Every structure is written in C-alpha cells, then in structure tokens.
Amino acid sequence: MLNKKITDLLNSQINKEFYSSYLYLDMSNYYYDNSLNGFGNWFGIQTQEEYAHAMLFVKYMQNNGEKVALEAIKKPDIVYAGFKQALDEAYKHELYISQSINDIYALAYELKDFKTMQFLDWFVKEQGEEEKNVDELCKRFDLFGTDARGLYLIDTELASRVFTAPSLVI
Ligand code: OFO
C-alpha cells in the first residue's frame, strides 16, 4: 500500500501521460494533414511512448495493490499557427510534465517513500532526455526549417524514427 497523497498524484500522473499521448497524436495529425509525414511520424512515436509511460504508472499502482481511478482525458485544443508552434508547445508540455514528476518525487522524499522514489528515477532521467530532444528539434527548426529544402531534409530525417519500448521493467 502507498500513502494516499502519493496515490492521488500517481493517479493524476496517469491522466497526464494519457493526455500527453493524445496531445502528441493531435500534433502528429496536424503534420500529416500538412504533408510533413516525417514530423507526423516523430509525433506518432511520441504518442506511443506516452501511452507506454501511462501504463508503467498503472502497473506500479497495481503492483502496490492500489486501485487506478481513470479520469476523462482533456481534448487537445491548440490551433497551430505554423509548423514551429507544435514544437514549441511540445517543449512547454515536457517542462510541465517534468515539474509534475518532480512534485511527486518531492512528496515521496518527504514521506520517505523510497520505493516510489526509485520507481520515479527512470522518469526523471527520461524527462531530461525528452526535454533535450524537443529543444534540439526546436533549435534545428529555427536554423534550417524556415527554408523549404531545410524543412524537407528535417522531415526526411524524422521519418526514420522508430518506437522502442521503455527500458524500465517494474
Ligand atoms: Fe511521459 O514522457 Fe515526457 O511527457
């Protein structure tokens, strides 16, 4: 059994991870709709990763005998003003999720819940990587993406991304 405050935050994190998956699917669709299939693919992989993250939280709750309370997933409502905006929004979203994971970690630390801290270690590292990946993509877009040929090359490169399941085993 886990502390009630921890289970509340974990439940809410499950919803945030499913929302992340939904948000990235919306971004993926936006790029596919605009024939940027590489960007569409890249965000499609993000969608799968976020779903996998949600399921890791579900599994952790179940492994600890806790009931998962699924909440409604918010509808993504961003109206994209241009190809860069989805990237900026994705970066902002990753910072928000990192903060959310850090908040759970801080509570686990306060409660001396070492098991949850150890579980979250992987997510802290993963968030660092995700922030870096999106930030790099934003910077490369600024450098090359405003030129049609540069945009084509980035799109072609992003088309090769494939999904790899999270390395965390719980
Ligand atoms: Fe769930 O990995 Fe970032 O948001």
Side-chain angles (χ1 to χ4, degrees), residues 35-39 83 140-141 144-160:
S35 301
L36 285 170
N37 295 355
F39 283 85
F83 299 141
R140 291 180 56 225
F141 191 98
F144 313 113
T146 45
D147 164 79
R149 250 192 304 187
L151 184 62
Y152 176 77
L153 288 174
I154 299 174
D155 192 58
T156 303
E157 186 189 312
L158 297 183
S160 64

PDB file of all heavy atoms in Angstrom, residues 35-39 83 140-141 144-160:
ATOM      1  N   SER A  35       1.181  17.315 -44.960  1.00  0.00           N
ATOM      2  CA  SER A  35       2.145  16.547 -45.776  1.00  0.00           C
ATOM      3  C   SER A  35       3.570  16.551 -45.234  1.00  0.00           C
ATOM      4  O   SER A  35       4.511  16.287 -45.979  1.00  0.00           O
ATOM      5  CB  SER A  35       2.159  17.054 -47.227  1.00  0.00           C
ATOM      6  OG  SER A  35       0.870  16.932 -47.768  1.00  0.00           O
ATOM      7  N   LEU A  36       3.719  16.841 -43.946  1.00  0.00           N
ATOM      8  CA  LEU A  36       5.044  16.699 -43.324  1.00  0.00           C
ATOM      9  C   LEU A  36       5.029  15.347 -42.580  1.00  0.00           C
ATOM     10  O   LEU A  36       4.895  15.281 -41.350  1.00  0.00           O
ATOM     11  CB  LEU A  36       5.330  17.867 -42.381  1.00  0.00           C
ATOM     12  CG  LEU A  36       5.680  19.185 -43.081  1.00  0.00           C
ATOM     13  CD1 LEU A  36       5.720  20.348 -42.096  1.00  0.00           C
ATOM     14  CD2 LEU A  36       7.025  19.073 -43.815  1.00  0.00           C
ATOM     15  N   ASN A  37       5.167  14.278 -43.367  1.00  0.00           N
ATOM     16  CA  ASN A  37       4.969  12.934 -42.812  1.00  0.00           C
ATOM     17  C   ASN A  37       6.061  12.518 -41.823  1.00  0.00           C
ATOM     18  O   ASN A  37       5.823  11.690 -40.945  1.00  0.00           O
ATOM     19  CB  ASN A  37       4.879  11.913 -43.945  1.00  0.00           C
ATOM     20  CG  ASN A  37       3.651  12.148 -44.798  1.00  0.00           C
ATOM     21  OD1 ASN A  37       2.826  13.010 -44.477  1.00  0.00           O
ATOM     22  ND2 ASN A  37       3.512  11.406 -45.889  1.00  0.00           N
ATOM     23  N   GLY A  38       7.257  13.100 -41.982  1.00  0.00           N
ATOM     24  CA  GLY A  38       8.334  12.792 -41.039  1.00  0.00           C
ATOM     25  C   GLY A  38       8.018  13.354 -39.659  1.00  0.00           C
ATOM     26  O   GLY A  38       8.163  12.664 -38.638  1.00  0.00           O
ATOM     27  N   PHE A  39       7.567  14.594 -39.613  1.00  0.00           N
ATOM     28  CA  PHE A  39       7.149  15.201 -38.340  1.00  0.00           C
ATOM     29  C   PHE A  39       5.960  14.415 -37.774  1.00  0.00           C
ATOM     30  O   PHE A  39       5.873  14.180 -36.569  1.00  0.00           O
ATOM     31  CB  PHE A  39       6.749  16.668 -38.534  1.00  0.00           C
ATOM     32  CG  PHE A  39       7.913  17.613 -38.677  1.00  0.00           C
ATOM     33  CD1 PHE A  39       8.519  17.821 -39.910  1.00  0.00           C
ATOM     34  CD2 PHE A  39       8.408  18.303 -37.579  1.00  0.00           C
ATOM     35  CE1 PHE A  39       9.587  18.704 -40.053  1.00  0.00           C
ATOM     36  CE2 PHE A  39       9.475  19.187 -37.704  1.00  0.00           C
ATOM     37  CZ  PHE A  39      10.068  19.387 -38.950  1.00  0.00           C
ATOM     38  N   PHE A  83       4.215  25.679 -38.519  1.00  0.00           N
ATOM     39  CA  PHE A  83       4.870  24.396 -38.243  1.00  0.00           C
ATOM     40  C   PHE A  83       5.729  24.422 -36.977  1.00  0.00           C
ATOM     41  O   PHE A  83       5.939  23.405 -36.342  1.00  0.00           O
ATOM     42  CB  PHE A  83       5.728  23.971 -39.440  1.00  0.00           C
ATOM     43  CG  PHE A  83       4.919  23.774 -40.686  1.00  0.00           C
ATOM     44  CD1 PHE A  83       5.405  24.180 -41.922  1.00  0.00           C
ATOM     45  CD2 PHE A  83       3.665  23.184 -40.629  1.00  0.00           C
ATOM     46  CE1 PHE A  83       4.648  24.000 -43.077  1.00  0.00           C
ATOM     47  CE2 PHE A  83       2.896  23.000 -41.766  1.00  0.00           C
ATOM     48  CZ  PHE A  83       3.387  23.418 -42.999  1.00  0.00           C
ATOM     49  N   ARG A 140      16.938  23.261 -34.276  1.00  0.00           N
ATOM     50  CA  ARG A 140      17.246  22.888 -35.659  1.00  0.00           C
ATOM     51  C   ARG A 140      16.194  23.459 -36.606  1.00  0.00           C
ATOM     52  O   ARG A 140      16.495  23.840 -37.734  1.00  0.00           O
ATOM     53  CB  ARG A 140      17.359  21.369 -35.784  1.00  0.00           C
ATOM     54  CG  ARG A 140      18.616  20.867 -35.055  1.00  0.00           C
ATOM     55  CD  ARG A 140      18.795  19.389 -35.138  1.00  0.00           C
ATOM     56  NE  ARG A 140      18.828  18.952 -36.518  1.00  0.00           N
ATOM     57  CZ  ARG A 140      18.165  17.896 -36.977  1.00  0.00           C
ATOM     58  NH1 ARG A 140      17.422  17.193 -36.183  1.00  0.00           N
ATOM     59  NH2 ARG A 140      18.252  17.559 -38.236  1.00  0.00           N
ATOM     60  N   PHE A 141      14.949  23.510 -36.142  1.00  0.00           N
ATOM     61  CA  PHE A 141      13.902  24.107 -36.977  1.00  0.00           C
ATOM     62  C   PHE A 141      14.205  25.585 -37.218  1.00  0.00           C
ATOM     63  O   PHE A 141      14.077  26.088 -38.326  1.00  0.00           O
ATOM     64  CB  PHE A 141      12.526  23.937 -36.326  1.00  0.00           C
ATOM     65  CG  PHE A 141      11.394  24.280 -37.242  1.00  0.00           C
ATOM     66  CD1 PHE A 141      10.709  23.282 -37.925  1.00  0.00           C
ATOM     67  CD2 PHE A 141      11.017  25.598 -37.463  1.00  0.00           C
ATOM     68  CE1 PHE A 141       9.676  23.594 -38.795  1.00  0.00           C
ATOM     69  CE2 PHE A 141       9.987  25.920 -38.340  1.00  0.00           C
ATOM     70  CZ  PHE A 141       9.316  24.918 -39.008  1.00  0.00           C
ATOM     71  N   PHE A 144      17.182  25.680 -39.778  1.00  0.00           N
ATOM     72  CA  PHE A 144      17.011  25.182 -41.150  1.00  0.00           C
ATOM     73  C   PHE A 144      15.560  25.111 -41.636  1.00  0.00           C
ATOM     74  O   PHE A 144      15.316  25.037 -42.840  1.00  0.00           O
ATOM     75  CB  PHE A 144      17.592  23.758 -41.276  1.00  0.00           C
ATOM     76  CG  PHE A 144      18.958  23.605 -40.675  1.00  0.00           C
ATOM     77  CD1 PHE A 144      19.168  22.818 -39.547  1.00  0.00           C
ATOM     78  CD2 PHE A 144      20.049  24.265 -41.229  1.00  0.00           C
ATOM     79  CE1 PHE A 144      20.436  22.683 -38.983  1.00  0.00           C
ATOM     80  CE2 PHE A 144      21.322  24.134 -40.673  1.00  0.00           C
ATOM     81  CZ  PHE A 144      21.518  23.347 -39.545  1.00  0.00           C
ATOM     82  N   GLY A 145      14.608  25.086 -40.681  1.00  0.00           N
ATOM     83  CA  GLY A 145      13.230  24.751 -41.049  1.00  0.00           C
ATOM     84  C   GLY A 145      12.467  25.826 -41.793  1.00  0.00           C
ATOM     85  O   GLY A 145      11.409  25.545 -42.368  1.00  0.00           O
ATOM     86  N   THR A 146      12.987  27.045 -41.787  1.00  0.00           N
ATOM     87  CA  THR A 146      12.256  28.117 -42.467  1.00  0.00           C
ATOM     88  C   THR A 146      12.542  28.125 -43.973  1.00  0.00           C
ATOM     89  O   THR A 146      11.875  28.813 -44.746  1.00  0.00           O
ATOM     90  CB  THR A 146      12.633  29.487 -41.869  1.00  0.00           C
ATOM     91  OG1 THR A 146      14.042  29.541 -41.711  1.00  0.00           O
ATOM     92  CG2 THR A 146      11.964  29.698 -40.523  1.00  0.00           C
ATOM     93  N   ASP A 147      13.532  27.334 -44.369  1.00  0.00           N
ATOM     94  CA  ASP A 147      13.866  27.194 -45.784  1.00  0.00           C
ATOM     95  C   ASP A 147      13.235  25.882 -46.284  1.00  0.00           C
ATOM     96  O   ASP A 147      13.298  24.863 -45.586  1.00  0.00           O
ATOM     97  CB  ASP A 147      15.404  27.156 -45.892  1.00  0.00           C
ATOM     98  CG  ASP A 147      15.886  26.646 -47.224  1.00  0.00           C
ATOM     99  OD1 ASP A 147      15.871  27.438 -48.177  1.00  0.00           O
ATOM    100  OD2 ASP A 147      16.241  25.453 -47.311  1.00  0.00           O
ATOM    101  N   ALA A 148      12.590  25.885 -47.430  1.00  0.00           N
ATOM    102  CA  ALA A 148      11.838  24.711 -47.909  1.00  0.00           C
ATOM    103  C   ALA A 148      12.729  23.468 -47.999  1.00  0.00           C
ATOM    104  O   ALA A 148      12.326  22.370 -47.616  1.00  0.00           O
ATOM    105  CB  ALA A 148      11.209  25.009 -49.263  1.00  0.00           C
ATOM    106  N   ARG A 149      13.963  23.660 -48.490  1.00  0.00           N
ATOM    107  CA  ARG A 149      14.844  22.493 -48.620  1.00  0.00           C
ATOM    108  C   ARG A 149      15.281  21.957 -47.262  1.00  0.00           C
ATOM    109  O   ARG A 149      15.355  20.752 -47.044  1.00  0.00           O
ATOM    110  CB  ARG A 149      16.071  22.851 -49.471  1.00  0.00           C
ATOM    111  CG  ARG A 149      15.989  22.147 -50.821  1.00  0.00           C
ATOM    112  CD  ARG A 149      17.255  22.221 -51.581  1.00  0.00           C
ATOM    113  NE  ARG A 149      17.677  23.626 -51.762  1.00  0.00           N
ATOM    114  CZ  ARG A 149      18.701  23.969 -52.527  1.00  0.00           C
ATOM    115  NH1 ARG A 149      19.374  23.044 -53.172  1.00  0.00           N
ATOM    116  NH2 ARG A 149      19.040  25.236 -52.656  1.00  0.00           N
ATOM    117  N   GLY A 150      15.544  22.903 -46.340  1.00  0.00           N
ATOM    118  CA  GLY A 150      15.929  22.517 -44.982  1.00  0.00           C
ATOM    119  C   GLY A 150      14.794  21.772 -44.301  1.00  0.00           C
ATOM    120  O   GLY A 150      15.006  20.752 -43.633  1.00  0.00           O
ATOM    121  N   LEU A 151      13.587  22.267 -44.482  1.00  0.00           N
ATOM    122  CA  LEU A 151      12.413  21.635 -43.880  1.00  0.00           C
ATOM    123  C   LEU A 151      12.238  20.219 -44.432  1.00  0.00           C
ATOM    124  O   LEU A 151      11.957  19.272 -43.689  1.00  0.00           O
ATOM    125  CB  LEU A 151      11.166  22.480 -44.193  1.00  0.00           C
ATOM    126  CG  LEU A 151       9.856  22.024 -43.562  1.00  0.00           C
ATOM    127  CD1 LEU A 151       9.927  22.059 -42.036  1.00  0.00           C
ATOM    128  CD2 LEU A 151       8.689  22.896 -44.033  1.00  0.00           C
ATOM    129  N   TYR A 152      12.463  20.076 -45.735  1.00  0.00           N
ATOM    130  CA  TYR A 152      12.345  18.762 -46.380  1.00  0.00           C
ATOM    131  C   TYR A 152      13.362  17.785 -45.780  1.00  0.00           C
ATOM    132  O   TYR A 152      13.036  16.628 -45.483  1.00  0.00           O
ATOM    133  CB  TYR A 152      12.566  18.910 -47.891  1.00  0.00           C
ATOM    134  CG  TYR A 152      12.563  17.586 -48.616  1.00  0.00           C
ATOM    135  CD1 TYR A 152      11.376  16.918 -48.885  1.00  0.00           C
ATOM    136  CD2 TYR A 152      13.765  16.993 -49.008  1.00  0.00           C
ATOM    137  CE1 TYR A 152      11.375  15.691 -49.526  1.00  0.00           C
ATOM    138  CE2 TYR A 152      13.774  15.764 -49.652  1.00  0.00           C
ATOM    139  CZ  TYR A 152      12.581  15.119 -49.911  1.00  0.00           C
ATOM    140  OH  TYR A 152      12.580  13.895 -50.531  1.00  0.00           O
ATOM    141  N   LEU A 153      14.581  18.265 -45.562  1.00  0.00           N
ATOM    142  CA  LEU A 153      15.624  17.383 -45.015  1.00  0.00           C
ATOM    143  C   LEU A 153      15.316  16.971 -43.575  1.00  0.00           C
ATOM    144  O   LEU A 153      15.486  15.811 -43.212  1.00  0.00           O
ATOM    145  CB  LEU A 153      16.998  18.075 -45.088  1.00  0.00           C
ATOM    146  CG  LEU A 153      17.590  18.187 -46.492  1.00  0.00           C
ATOM    147  CD1 LEU A 153      18.876  19.004 -46.473  1.00  0.00           C
ATOM    148  CD2 LEU A 153      17.842  16.803 -47.098  1.00  0.00           C
ATOM    149  N   ILE A 154      14.846  17.910 -42.766  1.00  0.00           N
ATOM    150  CA  ILE A 154      14.479  17.552 -41.381  1.00  0.00           C
ATOM    151  C   ILE A 154      13.331  16.537 -41.405  1.00  0.00           C
ATOM    152  O   ILE A 154      13.331  15.540 -40.687  1.00  0.00           O
ATOM    153  CB  ILE A 154      14.063  18.794 -40.542  1.00  0.00           C
ATOM    154  CG1 ILE A 154      15.211  19.792 -40.446  1.00  0.00           C
ATOM    155  CG2 ILE A 154      13.617  18.385 -39.152  1.00  0.00           C
ATOM    156  CD1 ILE A 154      14.829  21.110 -39.746  1.00  0.00           C
ATOM    157  N   ASP A 155      12.354  16.805 -42.256  1.00  0.00           N
ATOM    158  CA  ASP A 155      11.191  15.916 -42.345  1.00  0.00           C
ATOM    159  C   ASP A 155      11.621  14.495 -42.745  1.00  0.00           C
ATOM    160  O   ASP A 155      11.147  13.509 -42.178  1.00  0.00           O
ATOM    161  CB  ASP A 155      10.183  16.482 -43.353  1.00  0.00           C
ATOM    162  CG  ASP A 155       8.852  15.773 -43.275  1.00  0.00           C
ATOM    163  OD1 ASP A 155       8.247  15.760 -42.179  1.00  0.00           O
ATOM    164  OD2 ASP A 155       8.419  15.202 -44.296  1.00  0.00           O
ATOM    165  N   THR A 156      12.534  14.425 -43.690  1.00  0.00           N
ATOM    166  CA  THR A 156      13.021  13.117 -44.159  1.00  0.00           C
ATOM    167  C   THR A 156      13.729  12.384 -43.017  1.00  0.00           C
ATOM    168  O   THR A 156      13.536  11.181 -42.809  1.00  0.00           O
ATOM    169  CB  THR A 156      14.006  13.315 -45.339  1.00  0.00           C
ATOM    170  OG1 THR A 156      13.323  14.043 -46.351  1.00  0.00           O
ATOM    171  CG2 THR A 156      14.493  11.995 -45.893  1.00  0.00           C
ATOM    172  N   GLU A 157      14.510  13.128 -42.256  1.00  0.00           N
ATOM    173  CA  GLU A 157      15.243  12.515 -41.140  1.00  0.00           C
ATOM    174  C   GLU A 157      14.263  12.005 -40.066  1.00  0.00           C
ATOM    175  O   GLU A 157      14.419  10.904 -39.539  1.00  0.00           O
ATOM    176  CB  GLU A 157      16.173  13.577 -40.555  1.00  0.00           C
ATOM    177  CG  GLU A 157      17.103  13.072 -39.495  1.00  0.00           C
ATOM    178  CD  GLU A 157      17.824  14.250 -38.828  1.00  0.00           C
ATOM    179  OE1 GLU A 157      18.333  15.107 -39.562  1.00  0.00           O
ATOM    180  OE2 GLU A 157      17.835  14.296 -37.589  1.00  0.00           O
ATOM    181  N   LEU A 158      13.248  12.797 -39.762  1.00  0.00           N
ATOM    182  CA  LEU A 158      12.307  12.411 -38.702  1.00  0.00           C
ATOM    183  C   LEU A 158      11.449  11.204 -39.097  1.00  0.00           C
ATOM    184  O   LEU A 158      10.909  10.515 -38.230  1.00  0.00           O
ATOM    185  CB  LEU A 158      11.406  13.595 -38.329  1.00  0.00           C
ATOM    186  CG  LEU A 158      12.105  14.824 -37.736  1.00  0.00           C
ATOM    187  CD1 LEU A 158      11.081  15.895 -37.354  1.00  0.00           C
ATOM    188  CD2 LEU A 158      12.961  14.462 -36.528  1.00  0.00           C
ATOM    189  N   ALA A 159      11.376  10.958 -40.397  1.00  0.00           N
ATOM    190  CA  ALA A 159      10.576   9.818 -40.879  1.00  0.00           C
ATOM    191  C   ALA A 159      11.194   8.486 -40.476  1.00  0.00           C
ATOM    192  O   ALA A 159      10.517   7.454 -40.453  1.00  0.00           O
ATOM    193  CB  ALA A 159      10.444   9.894 -42.400  1.00  0.00           C
ATOM    194  N   SER A 160      12.486   8.494 -40.124  1.00  0.00           N
ATOM    195  CA  SER A 160      13.151   7.211 -39.833  1.00  0.00           C
ATOM    196  C   SER A 160      13.033   6.811 -38.353  1.00  0.00           C
ATOM    197  O   SER A 160      13.479   5.744 -37.957  1.00  0.00           O
ATOM    198  CB  SER A 160      14.630   7.286 -40.235  1.00  0.00           C
ATOM    199  OG  SER A 160      15.269   8.256 -39.434  1.00  0.00           O
TER     200      SER A 160
END
